[in-house]
Each structure stands twice: as C-alpha cells, then as structure tokens.
Amino acid sequence: MVQFHIQPDSEIPASTQLFNQISFAIAARQFPPGYRLPSTRQLAMQTGLHRNTISKVYERLEAAGLVVPQVGSGIYVRALGQEETRPRQRRPAVVPVHRIVQDSVDTLLEMGYSLSQIRELFLAEIDARQKAGVRVLVTVPRHDQGAGELIVQELQQLLPIPVELVFLEDLAAVLDGDTSATVVTVRYFASMTEAVTRNRDVRVFFIDIYNYQRELEVVRQLPKGSCLGLVSLSSGTLGVAEVMIHSLRGDELLLVTAQANDSYKLNAVVHRAHTIISDRASGERVKAAIAAARHELIRIPRLICCESYIDPQSVELLKREIGLTEDLPLEAKAS
C-alpha cells in the first residue's frame, strides 16, 4: 500500500496534504482504475487523521471525478475514457483474438443486429478512431497553462501528427467547429473535461503522469536544513509537489519554487538551493541561469531533471488508441 505522510502541525491543512497525495497516486497510476482505496479506518491508523477528515477527502476526490463510491463495498478509482475495455498490460504473445471478435459479434447478434449491420458498426468505429487520430488537442485550465505546455512538448516529440494546446475554457467552441480530434488531458482535470465533452462525439484520452519515485527518493535522502529548489513550467505541478514534499519532510527542508519563465524567482532558486529538481522542459533554462550566476555562487547547486511528465507506457497506449502503432501479427490460436 502507498504510504501517506501527514505533518499534523503544518500550516497546510491535513486534508489538503492527504488529498494531494491520493490525487497524485491516482494520476501516476500507483492507484490504477478499479483500485479499491484504503478504508477510512486504515488511513486513520496510517496517518493519525480522524476518519471524518478522511471521509471529506474522499468526497473531494469524488467531486473531482477521480473516484466513485460503491455502497457497501468501498471507494474505487474511476475508470476514465476507454479504460473499462483497454488493458493496462501489454497483451501476451498469443491471444485468442478470434474469441474476442466472436464474443462481440455474438453479443450484437443477440441484440438484434444483422451481420451486415455489425460489419458497418465495426468499420464506422475504426474510421472514427482513425479520423480522430489525425489531430490531438491537449486541454488544461487556463490557470495551469504550463501543464499543457509540458504535455504538448513531450507529445510533439513522440507523435508524428499535429498536437495543439486548447484551454478548457475554449474547448467547447473549438469542438463546435471540428470534432475530428482526440482530446488529451490528465486525471487532475477529469471532471472539467468530461463536463465539456460529455454530449459530444469526440474521443477523450486521459494520460498518466510520471511517478517521480526517483526524485522523491532524492528528497527523502536530503540532509536536514537543506534548501531544495523546484522549477517547472506548470504552477499546478509546483503546488502539488510543494504540498507532497512538505508532507514528507515538514520543516526539515527549506523549499523554494519558481516557474521556468519567471526569471526573478528562477534566479532566487539558483542562488539559494543546494539541490534543484526541474521538469525536463525547464532543464535548459535552469542550466543557463546557473551558468549566468556561476561567479556569484558559493556552491553550484545539484540539478536533477525529471525524465518526463507523461508516463511512457501511457504514450504507447495513446499511440495505439489513435492508430500510430505498427501492426502486430494476427493470432488465431486459442490460449
């Protein structure tokens, strides 16, 4: 079970600390779709929080579209988009593909469709997916433009098709003009994205974020009294990271943050921090700031650039979703 850390005497409310940590665990797929969250009793024992506080955190998670309660069973991570039918694992070398097709056809026949109608349904769905795959729209709220820029930069390097940033506030108007696109966002913005796309014939794909385990281990190992700098394009990422690191280390570390395009704050981070963790998109700006201030620095800060913002396996699933993966040999063998 993922371990949560709460600083009880912090100025940051304990509920916010727990909410951010669970949200991150879901966004980074440490808690995958369908996963049953710990009971309020289990979390109370682990964190020392009152069960009523934990219940309110779960209510916030439900309002954010991240979890769904099942009466008498518990709280489960919501499956989003096509996750109910899309396996997370790579499929095995031999798959009874013919059985999957047969079962699908049998189900539609039982519903009253003819074979010719079923053929048209399959072809129409494939055509719709291929059409949507020619354009990717990354959407985030306007206030966290940096998160969108991070996603766009990484996808532009990985996908051979146009990738555009559209703010959630503008998404409805864009989709009114052209629905031939795949909308991509992260789980943090699930409820807002669903509110816009719910009654529209558009495909939505929720990507998973990188789990940052390597970077969190660095944070755990920093000596007490160290000054840690965080640099990112995304203000939202900085806010979540700040709460999580504070929950993990409390007042043992001095934390300074900066968005990469804020030269004043970035310069302050470079001058004060012993260690700087940045997203990959901000790495070159941090290096340039360190180089420019080198003659003023008593010690050169250690810079750690995160590997990515998007989980690599999530990108592979997106490629498959929009038809950009190479064809695999068809297998007609039973497992």
Side-chain angles (χ1 to χ4, degrees), residues 3-78:
Q3 295 296 309
F4 299 111
H5 304 270
I6 303 297
Q7 297 292 332
D9 299 327
S10 170
E11 294 181 358
I12 300 174
S15 60
T16 299
Q17 295 181 53
L18 183 59
F19 175 83
N20 280 16
Q21 291 180 65
I22 296 178
S23 298
F24 173 79
I26 293 172
R29 218 181 181 97
Q30 294 172 337
F31 287 169
Y35 181 87
R36 183 179 183 273
L37 267 61
S39 67
T40 56
R41 181 175 177 273
Q42 288 174 308
L43 273 187
M45 293 176 63
Q46 182 187 141
T47 63
L49 299 179
H50 195 281
R51 293 176 65 177
N52 286 345
T53 300
I54 297 168
S55 294
K56 291 178 180 178
V57 169
Y58 279 178
E59 290 173 3
R60 286 181 62 189
L61 291 167
E62 182 183 359
L66 298 177
V67 303
V68 58
Q70 294 187 13
V71 179
S73 178
I75 308 293
Y76 292 82
V77 176
R78 276 191 64 210

Side-chain angles (χ1 to χ4, degrees), residues 54-206:
I54 297 168
S55 294
K56 291 178 180 178
V57 169
Y58 279 178
E59 290 173 3
R60 286 181 62 189
L61 291 167
E62 182 183 359
L66 298 177
V67 303
V68 58
Q70 294 187 13
V71 179
S73 178
I75 308 293
Y76 292 82
V77 176
R78 276 191 64 210
L80 301 173
Q82 304 301 308
E83 288 176 335
E84 293 87 347
T85 57
R86 185 183 64 216
R88 185 63 166 110
Q89 308 90 337
R90 184 180 299 277
R91 66 181 182 179
V94 178
V95 178
V97 177
H98 69 292
R99 294 292 185 193
I100 299 173
V101 176
Q102 287 176 355
D103 289 346
S104 299
V105 173
D106 287 344
T107 299
L108 290 169
L109 286 172
E110 291 172 2
M111 294 173 63
Y113 291 94
S114 67
L115 285 176
S116 61
Q117 288 174 320
I118 294 171
R119 181 178 183 274
E120 292 302 316
L121 288 172
F122 271 91
L123 290 175
E125 177 64 16
I126 292 170
D127 288 344
R129 292 191 179 211
Q130 291 178 332
K131 188 177 181 181
V134 301
R135 182 185 181 202
V136 170
L137 302 180
V138 172
T139 190
V140 298
R142 192 181 302 275
H143 67 78
D144 198 6
Q145 177 178 340
E149 292 175 352
L150 281 172
I151 299 170
V152 168
Q153 286 189 26
E154 293 193 15
L155 291 183
Q156 283 178 332
Q157 296 173 0
L158 299 169
L159 303 180
I161 58 175
V163 180
E164 306 170 42
L165 175 60
V166 177
F167 295 124
L168 266 165
E169 294 86 346
D170 304 325
L171 184 59
V174 172
L175 294 180
D176 285 341
D178 183 8
T179 59
S180 300
T182 297
V183 176
V184 174
T185 190
V186 292
R187 295 172 190 273
Y188 289 119
F189 310 128
S191 60
M192 291 182 283
T193 303
E194 289 175 327
V196 176
T197 62
R198 184 171 293 116
N199 297 318
R200 299 174 186 274
D201 186 19
V202 61
R203 302 197 67 79
V204 182
F205 189 94
F206 293 91

